PDB file of all heavy atoms in Angstrom:
ATOM      1  N   PRO A   1      43.156 168.257  66.044  1.00 84.00           N
ATOM      2  CA  PRO A   1      43.322 166.810  66.212  1.00 84.00           C
ATOM      3  C   PRO A   1      42.110 166.020  65.715  1.00 84.00           C
ATOM      4  O   PRO A   1      42.261 164.966  65.090  1.00 84.00           O
ATOM      5  CB  PRO A   1      43.514 166.655  67.728  1.00 84.00           C
ATOM      6  CG  PRO A   1      44.087 167.953  68.162  1.00 84.00           C
ATOM      7  CD  PRO A   1      43.399 168.986  67.311  1.00 84.00           C
ATOM      8  N   SER A   2      40.914 166.541  65.977  1.00 85.00           N
ATOM      9  CA  SER A   2      39.707 165.853  65.529  1.00 85.00           C
ATOM     10  C   SER A   2      39.539 165.939  64.014  1.00 85.00           C
ATOM     11  O   SER A   2      39.032 165.006  63.377  1.00 85.00           O
ATOM     12  CB  SER A   2      38.469 166.439  66.225  1.00 85.00           C
ATOM     13  OG  SER A   2      38.518 166.169  67.611  1.00 85.00           O
ATOM     14  N   LYS A   3      39.986 167.050  63.428  1.00 87.00           N
ATOM     15  CA  LYS A   3      39.926 167.170  61.970  1.00 87.00           C
ATOM     16  C   LYS A   3      40.871 166.163  61.321  1.00 87.00           C
ATOM     17  O   LYS A   3      40.544 165.556  60.284  1.00 87.00           O
ATOM     18  CB  LYS A   3      40.284 168.602  61.552  1.00 87.00           C
ATOM     19  CG  LYS A   3      39.208 169.613  61.904  1.00 87.00           C
ATOM     20  CD  LYS A   3      39.695 171.039  61.791  1.00 87.00           C
ATOM     21  CE  LYS A   3      39.818 171.487  60.355  1.00 87.00           C
ATOM     22  NZ  LYS A   3      40.136 172.928  60.260  1.00 87.00           N
ATOM     23  N   PHE A   4      42.013 165.953  61.930  1.00 87.00           N
ATOM     24  CA  PHE A   4      42.941 164.946  61.435  1.00 87.00           C
ATOM     25  C   PHE A   4      42.329 163.550  61.561  1.00 87.00           C
ATOM     26  O   PHE A   4      42.451 162.707  60.660  1.00 87.00           O
ATOM     27  CB  PHE A   4      44.257 165.005  62.210  1.00 87.00           C
ATOM     28  CG  PHE A   4      45.214 163.900  61.871  1.00 87.00           C
ATOM     29  CD1 PHE A   4      45.974 163.947  60.704  1.00 87.00           C
ATOM     30  CD2 PHE A   4      45.345 162.797  62.703  1.00 87.00           C
ATOM     31  CE1 PHE A   4      46.845 162.907  60.376  1.00 87.00           C
ATOM     32  CE2 PHE A   4      46.209 161.760  62.386  1.00 87.00           C
ATOM     33  CZ  PHE A   4      46.964 161.823  61.210  1.00 87.00           C
ATOM     34  N   LEU A   5      41.633 163.306  62.671  1.00 86.00           N
ATOM     35  CA  LEU A   5      40.988 162.025  62.904  1.00 86.00           C
ATOM     36  C   LEU A   5      39.898 161.775  61.872  1.00 86.00           C
ATOM     37  O   LEU A   5      39.745 160.669  61.348  1.00 86.00           O
ATOM     38  CB  LEU A   5      40.394 162.002  64.317  1.00 86.00           C
ATOM     39  CG  LEU A   5      39.826 160.680  64.821  1.00 86.00           C
ATOM     40  CD1 LEU A   5      40.895 159.605  64.834  1.00 86.00           C
ATOM     41  CD2 LEU A   5      39.243 160.871  66.212  1.00 86.00           C
ATOM     42  N   LEU A   6      39.140 162.808  61.563  1.00 87.00           N
ATOM     43  CA  LEU A   6      38.097 162.691  60.542  1.00 87.00           C
ATOM     44  C   LEU A   6      38.708 162.302  59.197  1.00 87.00           C
ATOM     45  O   LEU A   6      38.192 161.430  58.485  1.00 87.00           O
ATOM     46  CB  LEU A   6      37.328 164.008  60.430  1.00 87.00           C
ATOM     47  CG  LEU A   6      36.074 164.024  59.550  1.00 87.00           C
ATOM     48  CD1 LEU A   6      35.109 165.100  60.032  1.00 87.00           C
ATOM     49  CD2 LEU A   6      36.399 164.283  58.085  1.00 87.00           C
ATOM     50  N   HIS A   7      39.814 162.950  58.860  1.00 88.00           N
ATOM     51  CA  HIS A   7      40.496 162.646  57.600  1.00 88.00           C
ATOM     52  C   HIS A   7      40.992 161.205  57.591  1.00 88.00           C
ATOM     53  O   HIS A   7      40.894 160.506  56.565  1.00 88.00           O
ATOM     54  CB  HIS A   7      41.662 163.612  57.408  1.00 88.00           C
ATOM     55  CG  HIS A   7      42.399 163.423  56.117  1.00 88.00           C
ATOM     56  ND1 HIS A   7      41.860 163.771  54.895  1.00 88.00           N
ATOM     57  CD2 HIS A   7      43.618 162.899  55.849  1.00 88.00           C
ATOM     58  CE1 HIS A   7      42.725 163.478  53.935  1.00 88.00           C
ATOM     59  NE2 HIS A   7      43.797 162.953  54.490  1.00 88.00           N
ATOM     60  N   GLN A   8      41.489 160.744  58.730  1.00 86.00           N
ATOM     61  CA  GLN A   8      41.980 159.382  58.840  1.00 86.00           C
ATOM     62  C   GLN A   8      40.846 158.379  58.624  1.00 86.00           C
ATOM     63  O   GLN A   8      41.004 157.392  57.885  1.00 86.00           O
ATOM     64  CB  GLN A   8      42.600 159.165  60.220  1.00 86.00           C
ATOM     65  CG  GLN A   8      43.142 157.771  60.456  1.00 86.00           C
ATOM     66  CD  GLN A   8      43.603 157.571  61.892  1.00 86.00           C
ATOM     67  OE1 GLN A   8      43.139 158.256  62.805  1.00 86.00           O
ATOM     68  NE2 GLN A   8      44.515 156.632  62.094  1.00 86.00           N
ATOM     69  N   VAL A   9      39.711 158.622  59.262  1.00 85.00           N
ATOM     70  CA  VAL A   9      38.558 157.729  59.111  1.00 85.00           C
ATOM     71  C   VAL A   9      38.052 157.740  57.677  1.00 85.00           C
ATOM     72  O   VAL A   9      37.699 156.701  57.113  1.00 85.00           O
ATOM     73  CB  VAL A   9      37.434 158.133  60.097  1.00 85.00           C
ATOM     74  CG1 VAL A   9      36.144 157.369  59.786  1.00 85.00           C
ATOM     75  CG2 VAL A   9      37.861 157.869  61.529  1.00 85.00           C
ATOM     76  N   TYR A  10      38.040 158.913  57.076  1.00 87.00           N
ATOM     77  CA  TYR A  10      37.600 159.017  55.677  1.00 87.00           C
ATOM     78  C   TYR A  10      38.489 158.182  54.759  1.00 87.00           C
ATOM     79  O   TYR A  10      37.998 157.467  53.876  1.00 87.00           O
ATOM     80  CB  TYR A  10      37.611 160.481  55.243  1.00 87.00           C
ATOM     81  CG  TYR A  10      37.198 160.683  53.795  1.00 87.00           C
ATOM     82  CD1 TYR A  10      35.853 160.742  53.448  1.00 87.00           C
ATOM     83  CD2 TYR A  10      38.151 160.803  52.794  1.00 87.00           C
ATOM     84  CE1 TYR A  10      35.461 160.907  52.128  1.00 87.00           C
ATOM     85  CE2 TYR A  10      37.779 160.970  51.468  1.00 87.00           C
ATOM     86  CZ  TYR A  10      36.430 161.024  51.146  1.00 87.00           C
ATOM     87  OH  TYR A  10      36.055 161.187  49.828  1.00 87.00           O
ATOM     88  N   ASP A  11      39.794 158.250  54.969  1.00 89.00           N
ATOM     89  CA  ASP A  11      40.727 157.467  54.153  1.00 89.00           C
ATOM     90  C   ASP A  11      40.495 155.972  54.325  1.00 89.00           C
ATOM     91  O   ASP A  11      40.518 155.201  53.358  1.00 89.00           O
ATOM     92  CB  ASP A  11      42.170 157.812  54.514  1.00 89.00           C
ATOM     93  CG  ASP A  11      42.615 159.154  53.953  1.00 89.00           C
ATOM     94  OD1 ASP A  11      41.926 159.665  53.045  1.00 89.00           O
ATOM     95  OD2 ASP A  11      43.631 159.682  54.422  1.00 89.00           O
ATOM     96  N   LEU A  12      40.269 155.550  55.559  1.00 84.00           N
ATOM     97  CA  LEU A  12      40.018 154.141  55.822  1.00 84.00           C
ATOM     98  C   LEU A  12      38.704 153.688  55.184  1.00 84.00           C
ATOM     99  O   LEU A  12      38.604 152.596  54.629  1.00 84.00           O
ATOM    100  CB  LEU A  12      39.978 153.888  57.329  1.00 84.00           C
ATOM    101  CG  LEU A  12      41.313 153.976  58.067  1.00 84.00           C
ATOM    102  CD1 LEU A  12      41.086 154.059  59.569  1.00 84.00           C
ATOM    103  CD2 LEU A  12      42.189 152.772  57.735  1.00 84.00           C
ATOM    104  N   ALA A  13      37.699 154.556  55.257  1.00 83.00           N
ATOM    105  CA  ALA A  13      36.384 154.208  54.715  1.00 83.00           C
ATOM    106  C   ALA A  13      36.406 154.047  53.203  1.00 83.00           C
ATOM    107  O   ALA A  13      35.610 153.287  52.639  1.00 83.00           O
ATOM    108  CB  ALA A  13      35.365 155.274  55.110  1.00 83.00           C
ATOM    109  N   THR A  14      37.310 154.773  52.547  1.00 85.00           N
ATOM    110  CA  THR A  14      37.364 154.713  51.086  1.00 85.00           C
ATOM    111  C   THR A  14      38.353 153.673  50.564  1.00 85.00           C
ATOM    112  O   THR A  14      38.584 153.600  49.353  1.00 85.00           O
ATOM    113  CB  THR A  14      37.731 156.099  50.509  1.00 85.00           C
ATOM    114  OG1 THR A  14      38.955 156.556  51.097  1.00 85.00           O
ATOM    115  CG2 THR A  14      36.632 157.106  50.796  1.00 85.00           C
ATOM    116  N   ASP A  15      38.923 152.879  51.468  1.00 86.00           N
ATOM    117  CA  ASP A  15      39.840 151.813  51.062  1.00 86.00           C
ATOM    118  C   ASP A  15      39.095 150.814  50.168  1.00 86.00           C
ATOM    119  O   ASP A  15      38.018 150.316  50.528  1.00 86.00           O
ATOM    120  CB  ASP A  15      40.361 151.102  52.320  1.00 86.00           C
ATOM    121  CG  ASP A  15      41.458 150.090  52.014  1.00 86.00           C
ATOM    122  OD1 ASP A  15      41.341 149.369  50.997  1.00 86.00           O
ATOM    123  OD2 ASP A  15      42.418 150.014  52.786  1.00 86.00           O
ATOM    124  N   ARG A  16      39.654 150.478  49.035  1.00 86.00           N
ATOM    125  CA  ARG A  16      38.999 149.582  48.086  1.00 86.00           C
ATOM    126  C   ARG A  16      38.732 148.195  48.665  1.00 86.00           C
ATOM    127  O   ARG A  16      37.784 147.511  48.264  1.00 86.00           O
ATOM    128  CB  ARG A  16      39.852 149.437  46.822  1.00 86.00           C
ATOM    129  CG  ARG A  16      39.889 150.683  45.951  1.00 86.00           C
ATOM    130  CD  ARG A  16      40.690 150.427  44.684  1.00 86.00           C
ATOM    131  NE  ARG A  16      40.732 151.607  43.829  1.00 86.00           N
ATOM    132  CZ  ARG A  16      41.368 151.642  42.655  1.00 86.00           C
ATOM    133  NH1 ARG A  16      42.009 150.550  42.219  1.00 86.00           N
ATOM    134  NH2 ARG A  16      41.374 152.740  41.937  1.00 86.00           N
ATOM    135  N   ASP A  17      39.547 147.783  49.606  1.00 86.00           N
ATOM    136  CA  ASP A  17      39.385 146.449  50.187  1.00 86.00           C
ATOM    137  C   ASP A  17      38.073 146.297  50.954  1.00 86.00           C
ATOM    138  O   ASP A  17      37.639 145.179  51.233  1.00 86.00           O
ATOM    139  CB  ASP A  17      40.558 146.128  51.120  1.00 86.00           C
ATOM    140  CG  ASP A  17      41.823 145.796  50.348  1.00 86.00           C
ATOM    141  OD1 ASP A  17      41.714 145.507  49.139  1.00 86.00           O
ATOM    142  OD2 ASP A  17      42.910 145.830  50.952  1.00 86.00           O
ATOM    143  N   PHE A  18      37.466 147.414  51.307  1.00 87.00           N
ATOM    144  CA  PHE A  18      36.182 147.339  52.004  1.00 87.00           C
ATOM    145  C   PHE A  18      35.005 147.216  51.034  1.00 87.00           C
ATOM    146  O   PHE A  18      33.857 147.099  51.451  1.00 87.00           O
ATOM    147  CB  PHE A  18      35.988 148.554  52.911  1.00 87.00           C
ATOM    148  CG  PHE A  18      36.806 148.487  54.170  1.00 87.00           C
ATOM    149  CD1 PHE A  18      37.754 149.458  54.448  1.00 87.00           C
ATOM    150  CD2 PHE A  18      36.639 147.458  55.080  1.00 87.00           C
ATOM    151  CE1 PHE A  18      38.522 149.394  55.605  1.00 87.00           C
ATOM    152  CE2 PHE A  18      37.391 147.384  56.232  1.00 87.00           C
ATOM    153  CZ  PHE A  18      38.333 148.353  56.502  1.00 87.00           C
ATOM    154  N   GLN A  19      35.280 147.280  49.743  1.00 79.00           N
ATOM    155  CA  GLN A  19      34.296 147.018  48.694  1.00 79.00           C
ATOM    156  C   GLN A  19      33.040 147.877  48.812  1.00 79.00           C
ATOM    157  O   GLN A  19      31.929 147.428  48.576  1.00 79.00           O
ATOM    158  CB  GLN A  19      33.915 145.529  48.702  1.00 79.00           C
ATOM    159  CG  GLN A  19      35.091 144.612  48.408  1.00 79.00           C
ATOM    160  CD  GLN A  19      34.702 143.159  48.394  1.00 79.00           C
ATOM    161  OE1 GLN A  19      33.664 142.763  48.899  1.00 79.00           O
ATOM    162  NE2 GLN A  19      35.550 142.322  47.801  1.00 79.00           N
ATOM    163  N   GLY A  20      33.214 149.108  49.228  1.00 85.00           N
ATOM    164  CA  GLY A  20      32.068 150.005  49.311  1.00 85.00           C
ATOM    165  C   GLY A  20      31.136 149.748  50.469  1.00 85.00           C
ATOM    166  O   GLY A  20      30.049 150.326  50.538  1.00 85.00           O
ATOM    167  N   ARG A  21      31.551 148.894  51.419  1.00 92.00           N
ATOM    168  CA  ARG A  21      30.691 148.573  52.553  1.00 92.00           C
ATOM    169  C   ARG A  21      30.781 149.601  53.677  1.00 92.00           C
ATOM    170  O   ARG A  21      30.054 149.525  54.657  1.00 92.00           O
ATOM    171  CB  ARG A  21      31.062 147.184  53.106  1.00 92.00           C
ATOM    172  CG  ARG A  21      30.649 146.042  52.203  1.00 92.00           C
ATOM    173  CD  ARG A  21      29.156 145.869  52.211  1.00 92.00           C
ATOM    174  NE  ARG A  21      28.735 144.776  51.353  1.00 92.00           N
ATOM    175  CZ  ARG A  21      27.466 144.417  51.207  1.00 92.00           C
ATOM    176  NH1 ARG A  21      26.525 145.064  51.861  1.00 92.00           N
ATOM    177  NH2 ARG A  21      27.142 143.426  50.406  1.00 92.00           N
ATOM    178  N   ILE A  22      31.713 150.540  53.568  1.00 92.00           N
ATOM    179  CA  ILE A  22      31.822 151.609  54.556  1.00 92.00           C
ATOM    180  C   ILE A  22      31.609 152.933  53.831  1.00 92.00           C
ATOM    181  O   ILE A  22      32.324 153.257  52.883  1.00 92.00           O
ATOM    182  CB  ILE A  22      33.187 151.595  55.261  1.00 92.00           C
ATOM    183  CG1 ILE A  22      33.382 150.258  55.995  1.00 92.00           C
ATOM    184  CG2 ILE A  22      33.293 152.759  56.243  1.00 92.00           C
ATOM    185  CD1 ILE A  22      34.699 150.148  56.725  1.00 92.00           C
ATOM    186  N   ALA A  23      30.611 153.674  54.258  1.00 90.00           N
ATOM    187  CA  ALA A  23      30.257 154.929  53.596  1.00 90.00           C
ATOM    188  C   ALA A  23      30.518 156.101  54.526  1.00 90.00           C
ATOM    189  O   ALA A  23      30.368 155.988  55.748  1.00 90.00           O
ATOM    190  CB  ALA A  23      28.788 154.914  53.183  1.00 90.00           C
ATOM    191  N   PHE A  24      30.913 157.214  53.960  1.00 87.00           N
ATOM    192  CA  PHE A  24      31.113 158.447  54.721  1.00 87.00           C
ATOM    193  C   PHE A  24      30.182 159.506  54.133  1.00 87.00           C
ATOM    194  O   PHE A  24      30.343 159.921  52.990  1.00 87.00           O
ATOM    195  CB  PHE A  24      32.564 158.921  54.640  1.00 87.00           C
ATOM    196  CG  PHE A  24      32.900 159.977  55.664  1.00 87.00           C
ATOM    197  CD1 PHE A  24      33.596 159.649  56.807  1.00 87.00           C
ATOM    198  CD2 PHE A  24      32.490 161.283  55.478  1.00 87.00           C
ATOM    199  CE1 PHE A  24      33.901 160.621  57.751  1.00 87.00           C
ATOM    200  CE2 PHE A  24      32.788 162.254  56.418  1.00 87.00           C
ATOM    201  CZ  PHE A  24      33.491 161.924  57.567  1.00 87.00           C
ATOM    202  N   VAL A  25      29.196 159.920  54.904  1.00 87.00           N
ATOM    203  CA  VAL A  25      28.212 160.909  54.454  1.00 87.00           C
ATOM    204  C   VAL A  25      28.738 162.302  54.763  1.00 87.00           C
ATOM    205  O   VAL A  25      28.963 162.651  55.928  1.00 87.00           O
ATOM    206  CB  VAL A  25      26.851 160.690  55.144  1.00 87.00           C
ATOM    207  CG1 VAL A  25      25.843 161.729  54.672  1.00 87.00           C
ATOM    208  CG2 VAL A  25      26.340 159.280  54.866  1.00 87.00           C
ATOM    209  N   GLU A  26      28.944 163.088  53.749  1.00 83.00           N
ATOM    210  CA  GLU A  26      29.476 164.439  53.924  1.00 83.00           C
ATOM    211  C   GLU A  26      28.352 165.450  54.177  1.00 83.00           C
ATOM    212  O   GLU A  26      27.180 165.159  53.986  1.00 83.00           O
ATOM    213  CB  GLU A  26      30.274 164.839  52.674  1.00 83.00           C
ATOM    214  CG  GLU A  26      31.458 163.923  52.396  1.00 83.00           C
ATOM    215  CD  GLU A  26      32.258 164.365  51.188  1.00 83.00           C
ATOM    216  OE1 GLU A  26      32.314 165.582  50.919  1.00 83.00           O
ATOM    217  OE2 GLU A  26      32.821 163.494  50.507  1.00 83.00           O
ATOM    218  N   ASP A  27      28.757 166.652  54.599  1.00 83.00           N
ATOM    219  CA  ASP A  27      27.818 167.762  54.835  1.00 83.00           C
ATOM    220  C   ASP A  27      26.711 167.371  55.811  1.00 83.00           C
ATOM    221  O   ASP A  27      25.521 167.585  55.566  1.00 83.00           O
ATOM    222  CB  ASP A  27      27.216 168.247  53.511  1.00 83.00           C
ATOM    223  CG  ASP A  27      28.255 168.805  52.565  1.00 83.00           C
ATOM    224  OD1 ASP A  27      29.212 169.436  53.065  1.00 83.00           O
ATOM    225  OD2 ASP A  27      28.135 168.605  51.355  1.00 83.00           O
ATOM    226  N   TYR A  28      27.108 166.787  56.916  1.00 84.00           N
ATOM    227  CA  TYR A  28      26.143 166.378  57.942  1.00 84.00           C
ATOM    228  C   TYR A  28      25.445 167.608  58.527  1.00 84.00           C
ATOM    229  O   TYR A  28      26.074 168.599  58.881  1.00 84.00           O
ATOM    230  CB  TYR A  28      26.877 165.618  59.044  1.00 84.00           C
ATOM    231  CG  TYR A  28      25.990 165.103  60.147  1.00 84.00           C
ATOM    232  CD1 TYR A  28      25.417 163.839  60.065  1.00 84.00           C
ATOM    233  CD2 TYR A  28      25.733 165.877  61.272  1.00 84.00           C
ATOM    234  CE1 TYR A  28      24.612 163.350  61.080  1.00 84.00           C
ATOM    235  CE2 TYR A  28      24.927 165.395  62.291  1.00 84.00           C
ATOM    236  CZ  TYR A  28      24.365 164.129  62.194  1.00 84.00           C
ATOM    237  OH  TYR A  28      23.565 163.664  63.205  1.00 84.00           O
ATOM    238  N   ASP A  29      24.122 167.549  58.624  1.00 86.00           N
ATOM    239  CA  ASP A  29      23.343 168.620  59.240  1.00 86.00           C
ATOM    240  C   ASP A  29      22.078 168.026  59.847  1.00 86.00           C
ATOM    241  O   ASP A  29      21.880 166.800  59.847  1.00 86.00           O
ATOM    242  CB  ASP A  29      23.004 169.720  58.217  1.00 86.00           C
ATOM    243  CG  ASP A  29      22.247 169.177  57.002  1.00 86.00           C
ATOM    244  OD1 ASP A  29      21.734 168.036  57.065  1.00 86.00           O
ATOM    245  OD2 ASP A  29      22.164 169.894  55.982  1.00 86.00           O
ATOM    246  N   ILE A  30      21.197 168.877  60.355  1.00 87.00           N
ATOM    247  CA  ILE A  30      19.980 168.399  61.015  1.00 87.00           C
ATOM    248  C   ILE A  30      19.096 167.623  60.044  1.00 87.00           C
ATOM    249  O   ILE A  30      18.471 166.623  60.405  1.00 87.00           O
ATOM    250  CB  ILE A  30      19.207 169.582  61.624  1.00 87.00           C
ATOM    251  CG1 ILE A  30      20.024 170.201  62.775  1.00 87.00           C
ATOM    252  CG2 ILE A  30      17.849 169.128  62.145  1.00 87.00           C
ATOM    253  CD1 ILE A  30      19.386 171.429  63.388  1.00 87.00           C
ATOM    254  N   HIS A  31      19.043 168.084  58.807  1.00 90.00           N
ATOM    255  CA  HIS A  31      18.231 167.409  57.802  1.00 90.00           C
ATOM    256  C   HIS A  31      18.731 165.984  57.580  1.00 90.00           C
ATOM    257  O   HIS A  31      17.934 165.027  57.543  1.00 90.00           O
ATOM    258  CB  HIS A  31      18.262 168.195  56.489  1.00 90.00           C
ATOM    259  CG  HIS A  31      17.500 167.543  55.374  1.00 90.00           C
ATOM    260  ND1 HIS A  31      16.122 167.523  55.335  1.00 90.00           N
ATOM    261  CD2 HIS A  31      17.930 166.880  54.264  1.00 90.00           C
ATOM    262  CE1 HIS A  31      15.729 166.869  54.247  1.00 90.00           C
ATOM    263  NE2 HIS A  31      16.807 166.470  53.587  1.00 90.00           N
ATOM    264  N   MET A  32      20.035 165.829  57.464  1.00 90.00           N
ATOM    265  CA  MET A  32      20.612 164.498  57.277  1.00 90.00           C
ATOM    266  C   MET A  32      20.408 163.637  58.518  1.00 90.00           C
ATOM    267  O   MET A  32      20.101 162.438  58.419  1.00 90.00           O
ATOM    268  CB  MET A  32      22.102 164.621  56.958  1.00 90.00           C
ATOM    269  CG  MET A  32      22.829 163.284  56.802  1.00 90.00           C
ATOM    270  SD  MET A  32      22.171 162.261  55.479  1.00 90.00           S
ATOM    271  CE  MET A  32      22.642 163.281  54.056  1.00 90.00           C
ATOM    272  N   ALA A  33      20.564 164.249  59.696  1.00 89.00           N
ATOM    273  CA  ALA A  33      20.404 163.502  60.943  1.00 89.00           C
ATOM    274  C   ALA A  33      19.006 162.901  61.050  1.00 89.00           C
ATOM    275  O   ALA A  33      18.826 161.789  61.560  1.00 89.00           O
ATOM    276  CB  ALA A  33      20.664 164.422  62.140  1.00 89.00           C
ATOM    277  N   ARG A  34      18.016 163.621  60.567  1.00 90.00           N
ATOM    278  CA  ARG A  34      16.626 163.154  60.614  1.00 90.00           C
ATOM    279  C   ARG A  34      16.476 161.810  59.905  1.00 90.00           C
ATOM    280  O   ARG A  34      15.740 160.929  60.362  1.00 90.00           O
ATOM    281  CB  ARG A  34      15.712 164.198  59.985  1.00 90.00           C
ATOM    282  CG  ARG A  34      14.236 163.837  59.990  1.00 90.00           C
ATOM    283  CD  ARG A  34      13.397 165.038  59.579  1.00 90.00           C
ATOM    284  NE  ARG A  34      11.994 164.690  59.469  1.00 90.00           N
ATOM    285  CZ  ARG A  34      11.405 164.326  58.323  1.00 90.00           C
ATOM    286  NH1 ARG A  34      12.113 164.289  57.206  1.00 90.00           N
ATOM    287  NH2 ARG A  34      10.131 164.020  58.291  1.00 90.00           N
ATOM    288  N   TYR A  35      17.166 161.664  58.796  1.00 92.00           N
ATOM    289  CA  TYR A  35      17.093 160.405  58.056  1.00 92.00           C
ATOM    290  C   TYR A  35      17.911 159.303  58.723  1.00 92.00           C
ATOM    291  O   TYR A  35      17.503 158.132  58.737  1.00 92.00           O
ATOM    292  CB  TYR A  35      17.571 160.611  56.619  1.00 92.00           C
ATOM    293  CG  TYR A  35      16.609 161.410  55.783  1.00 92.00           C
ATOM    294  CD1 TYR A  35      16.843 162.756  55.514  1.00 92.00           C
ATOM    295  CD2 TYR A  35      15.447 160.830  55.270  1.00 92.00           C
ATOM    296  CE1 TYR A  35      15.959 163.507  54.750  1.00 92.00           C
ATOM    297  CE2 TYR A  35      14.550 161.570  54.507  1.00 92.00           C
ATOM    298  CZ  TYR A  35      14.813 162.903  54.249  1.00 92.00           C
ATOM    299  OH  TYR A  35      13.925 163.644  53.508  1.00 92.00           O
ATOM    300  N   LEU A  36      19.044 159.664  59.292  1.00 92.00           N
ATOM    301  CA  LEU A  36      19.908 158.662  59.904  1.00 92.00           C
ATOM    302  C   LEU A  36      19.286 158.061  61.159  1.00 92.00           C
ATOM    303  O   LEU A  36      19.339 156.842  61.361  1.00 92.00           O
ATOM    304  CB  LEU A  36      21.274 159.273  60.231  1.00 92.00           C
ATOM    305  CG  LEU A  36      22.162 159.609  59.034  1.00 92.00           C
ATOM    306  CD1 LEU A  36      23.432 160.311  59.502  1.00 92.00           C
ATOM    307  CD2 LEU A  36      22.524 158.346  58.253  1.00 92.00           C
ATOM    308  N   VAL A  37      18.714 158.891  62.029  1.00 92.00           N
ATOM    309  CA  VAL A  37      18.193 158.370  63.299  1.00 92.00           C
ATOM    310  C   VAL A  37      16.949 157.508  63.119  1.00 92.00           C
ATOM    311  O   VAL A  37      16.507 156.855  64.068  1.00 92.00           O
ATOM    312  CB  VAL A  37      17.886 159.514  64.303  1.00 92.00           C
ATOM    313  CG1 VAL A  37      19.144 160.269  64.657  1.00 92.00           C
ATOM    314  CG2 VAL A  37      16.810 160.455  63.771  1.00 92.00           C
ATOM    315  N   GLN A  38      16.378 157.504  61.930  1.00 91.00           N
ATOM    316  CA  GLN A  38      15.227 156.625  61.706  1.00 91.00           C
ATOM    317  C   GLN A  38      15.470 155.615  60.586  1.00 91.00           C
ATOM    318  O   GLN A  38      14.632 154.742  60.341  1.00 91.00           O
ATOM    319  CB  GLN A  38      13.981 157.452  61.357  1.00 91.00           C
ATOM    320  CG  GLN A  38      14.106 158.309  60.111  1.00 91.00           C
ATOM    321  CD  GLN A  38      12.880 159.173  59.875  1.00 91.00           C
ATOM    322  OE1 GLN A  38      11.816 158.666  59.571  1.00 91.00           O
ATOM    323  NE2 GLN A  38      13.024 160.475  60.035  1.00 91.00           N
TER     324      GLN A  38
END
């Protein structure tokens, strides 16, 4: 169910009407988290 939800959010984020204002960062890991939390 959560994998389906992730796919749903990804589809919404890539909608052209949002003009690139919503980004989905793939391959989330500790290294990526370090940059996001700061």
Side-chain angles (χ1 to χ4, degrees):
S2 294
K3 289 166 75 173
F4 173 78
L5 188 60
L6 188 153
H7 182 71
Q8 180 186 25
V9 170
Y10 179 83
D11 284 344
L12 289 166
T14 55
D15 187 320
R16 289 183 180 180
D17 285 343
F18 284 119
Q19 298 181 342
R21 288 289 180 179
I22 300 180
F24 194 102
V25 180
E26 300 182 31
D27 297 324
Y28 182 90
D29 57 15
I30 294 176
H31 178 73
M32 177 60 67
R34 181 170 175 266
Y35 289 102
L36 290 175
V37 298
Q38 60 184 292

